[in-house]
Amino acid sequence: MKRIYLMIATICMVLSFSSCSDFFEEDSNYIINADDDHLSNATDTIYSVTGILNKLQAIADRTVLFGEVRGDLTDVTEATSSDLRALATFTVGDDNAYNVPRDYYAIINNCNYFIAKADTAMRNNRNENIFKAEYAAVKAIRAWTYLQLVTTYGKVPFVTTPIMTKEDSERDYEPIDIKGVCRYFLNEDGLKELVDQEYPDYGNIKGQPSKMFFIPMRLILGDLSLWNGDYMEAAKYYYGYITNRNGDNSSYPTGTDSFEYRDNTSWMSAGGSWVSSLLTENASSNAEVITVIPMDSIPSEGHYSQLGNILNTSSDNDYKVSLVPSKALENLSAEQFYCHYDTKNRKYVIAPKRQDAYWDGDLRLLATCQRNDNSITPDGTKYTSQYIRKYGTKNGNIHIYRRTMVYLRMAEAINRAGYPHFAYQILASGISNKIITDSIAKYYSAEEAAMLLNTFQFPDARYIVYRPDNLLSNSNTLGIHSRGCGFSPENPHYKMPVNNAITDPKALREWQQEKVEDMIMDEEALEFSFEGHRFYDLMRVALRRNDPSYLANKVYNRKGAGNVAAMKAMLPDLTDTNNWYLKWNGQIGIGY
């Protein structure tokens, strides 16, 4: 078997993987190993790395569903399977099809094996370290997988050495929680020393750049720091990714993609580049998508994403979807105010409310979810169609990181580090050095302002802030809220929170931090609906505030304010954090 799979891997390398029918043709459940004690040649090393990527495919859909179905932005339907419904009601049992922790440990064990066996001391005739790129990439994947695992199960057996025997698989491994996972990977695993290490590049696989299949080191370090409460460190890691993604001291601005009203007469025409930017998977310098788990393109292959089938009506699911936008999402979207620039009269106007959840307020829901109550099947039956455009591409790859996420997590981190005005401007206007100088620095001491400008450089020549009343052809920076709500800096309904009743500057800053954090969480809901982040965002804030009711009340509100009592009666007590997590079935699932 080893010889056959190595042949496949080698052929794929030669052809830039373009002709392989599946991404990673491998079916071992546990360890993808070589015969030698070390992985010391390119074939074995690439074979092992692609095997790890294969294992990621098994958890791809779950990564989205665990984060979305347990939150407040989606709701189940009559067609929802019992396993998926159990996720939504926090009643997942041992036999639930989604409760398979061994799939995570299959990734982790293969990473452990690679880390233990890869000969990172080997150098070529130019004295270049041969396998350090793969070594760094695998370490980042392992850390990311543990973060997904522990935020899903609460406490997990922690294993950092390869399990090679039945006896090893049956040992009792110490379970650790989110803080333990963060401490290990931030302080003991050596990830920080690999932050500038380049990752492998195997060319294109099925037309996609293979470097999009890896977890950027600065982003996983930022996430770990954010969960651990190291807020300024987290902000620096996210900023470090932004400023180094395209080369040393480069730029990675937010872009100006949005979904907007085309006129202010009928208020019936809207469009824009926002959704298309989310679906474009390339490695260009301004790409929105950063990391994907590549999935197979046809259902007969082993790792085909089912999210399109869960979210979009088609003949394959008898025109019945399993998840729909929740009332909470519809209400949040409709509650926003859209600020339109009237080019004819050169003034800003607020779009009128039309009592339509998709056309009122933020237009990203309209752009994301296309619904029609009068669709007709081929046999003439009337039905309600649903098309979630984020899952409308044929390849069905699962997106893990994208540019807007980096900016919003940086906003979350820098707000909690003590700079809510900085975080607010990421939402409202976008960031440049001029924005920092003119709109942020005045709220802080001279020392703090100097630190911000020295630590977070957004040169005005590289980060050019967009204004519809002063168009610049090279504008490349837009406030995140403006992606769906028009031009936020001129929106009287979208302002930095103030409280004149609080006279103590420290108390005011703490109050503003919480209010801006609420704005960030709303923004993440509007921007990332259906992408699998919501429950974890709520969890992170609830833990940070030491207030489980923050998460509980959001989930209880899933069906709207009028159904909160019914939701409380149906769901377990979510003010008890033990009920947030899937129940551990007692096994890591690595057997022989």
Side-chain angles (χ1 to χ4, degrees), residues 54-110:
N54 169 272
K55 296 302 180 189
L56 283 169
Q57 292 177 310
I59 68 166
D61 280 6
R62 259 173 280 167
T63 299
V64 175
L65 294 173
F66 285 168
E68 204 63 44
V69 179
R70 294 183 294 165
D72 60 330
L73 305 183
T74 63
D75 206 352
V76 297
T77 72
E78 292 181 358
T80 306
S81 70
S82 58
D83 286 336
L84 197 55
R85 188 179 299 275
L87 279 181
T89 56
F90 298 83
T91 55
V92 173
D94 287 350
D95 59 347
N96 190 290
Y98 296 106
N99 189 11
V100 192
R102 67 174 177 268
D103 289 341
Y104 293 85
Y105 282 100
I107 302 166
I108 290 166
N109 204 36
N110 277 283

Side-chain angles (χ1 to χ4, degrees), residues 195-484:
V195 73
D196 291 314
Q197 173 63 50
E198 290 187 6
Y199 281 0
D201 186 352
Y202 302 144
N204 285 351
I205 300 179
K206 292 175 71 171
Q208 290 182 261
S210 60
K211 60 184 179 181
M212 291 183 69
F213 303 161
F214 299 106
I215 307 294
M217 188 65 76
R218 283 186 172 88
L219 296 189
I220 185 58
L221 284 169
D223 288 353
L224 291 164
S225 299
L226 188 61
W227 279 98
N228 201 46
D230 303 325
Y231 299 120
M232 184 54 76
E233 285 302 301
K236 289 178 181 178
Y237 280 125
Y238 295 128
Y239 168 76
Y241 179 81
I242 290 168
T243 197
N244 289 287
R245 179 186 188 272
N246 297 313
D248 293 342
N249 298 314
S250 62
S251 62
Y252 189 41
T254 59
T256 57
D257 297 308
S258 63
F259 203 78
E260 57 194 21
Y261 278 111
R262 299 302 197 192
D263 66 73
N264 63 323
T265 53
S266 67
W267 301 101
M268 286 291 290
S269 176
S273 56
W274 177 68
V275 174
S276 60
S277 72
L278 310 186
L279 301 179
T280 303
E281 298 172 352
N282 60 50
S284 67
S285 61
N286 64 344
E288 172 72 18
V289 180
I290 296 170
T291 302
V292 306
I293 297 177
M295 304 298 285
D296 300 327
S297 57
I298 57 176
S300 61
E301 295 174 349
H303 294 294
Y304 178 82
S305 175
Q306 292 298 322
L307 293 181
N309 192 50
I310 289 171
L311 291 163
N312 299 330
T313 49
S314 71
S315 58
D316 292 337
N317 57 21
D318 295 325
Y319 305 100
K320 297 176 182 178
V321 295
S322 299
L323 296 175
V324 295
S326 69
K327 191 64 176 176
L329 175 57
E330 292 179 344
N331 289 343
L332 175 64
S333 181
E335 288 165 0
Q336 308 306 307
F337 290 87
Y338 185 96
C339 184
H340 178 78
Y341 181 64
D342 180 348
T343 56
K344 181 179 180 180
N345 297 301
R346 298 187 64 80
K347 65 178 182 179
Y348 291 94
V349 295
I350 299 300
K353 297 291 186 178
R354 296 171 47 190
Q355 306 306 310
D356 185 316
Y358 292 77
W359 281 92
D360 278 351
D362 192 295
L363 296 182
R364 280 170 287 190
L365 180 56
L366 175 68
T368 296
C369 182
Q370 298 178 348
R371 292 174 63 86
N372 184 352
D373 293 331
N374 297 303
S375 295
I376 305 294
T377 67
D379 66 5
T381 304
K382 184 178 176 180
Y383 73 101
T384 297
S385 64
Q386 175 174 291
Y387 179 53
I388 303 298
R389 293 180 65 195
K390 292 178 179 180
Y391 296 96
T393 58
K394 292 181 180 179
N395 59 26
N397 294 338
I398 304 303
H399 296 177
I400 301 301
Y401 286 107
R402 61 182 178 93
R403 173 176 52 187
T404 309
M405 183 189 304
V406 180
Y407 273 91
L408 283 176
R409 288 187 181 168
M410 182 173 72
E412 184 182 342
I414 204 164
N415 175 60
R416 278 297 173 176
Y419 301 95
H421 287 84
F422 195 122
Y424 166 77
Q425 292 300 338
I426 293 174
L427 302 178
S429 65
I431 292 293
S432 69
N433 281 353
K434 181 175 174 53
I435 293 291
I436 297 174
T437 300
D438 294 349
S439 303
I440 298 172
K442 60 186 176 183
Y443 295 102
Y444 303 107
S445 68
E447 182 181 3
E448 288 176 314
M451 182 278 296
L452 289 175
L453 280 167
N454 289 333
T455 305
F456 303 98
Q457 281 284 315
F458 290 87
D460 296 318
R462 298 181 190 171
Y463 295 86
I464 303 165
V465 177
Y466 170 85
R467 283 193 67 89
D469 56 359
N470 183 23
L471 291 176
L472 298 173
S473 60
N474 57 347
S475 297
N476 61 15
T477 296
L478 186 70
I480 307 301
H481 194 64
S482 299
R483 291 161 75 85

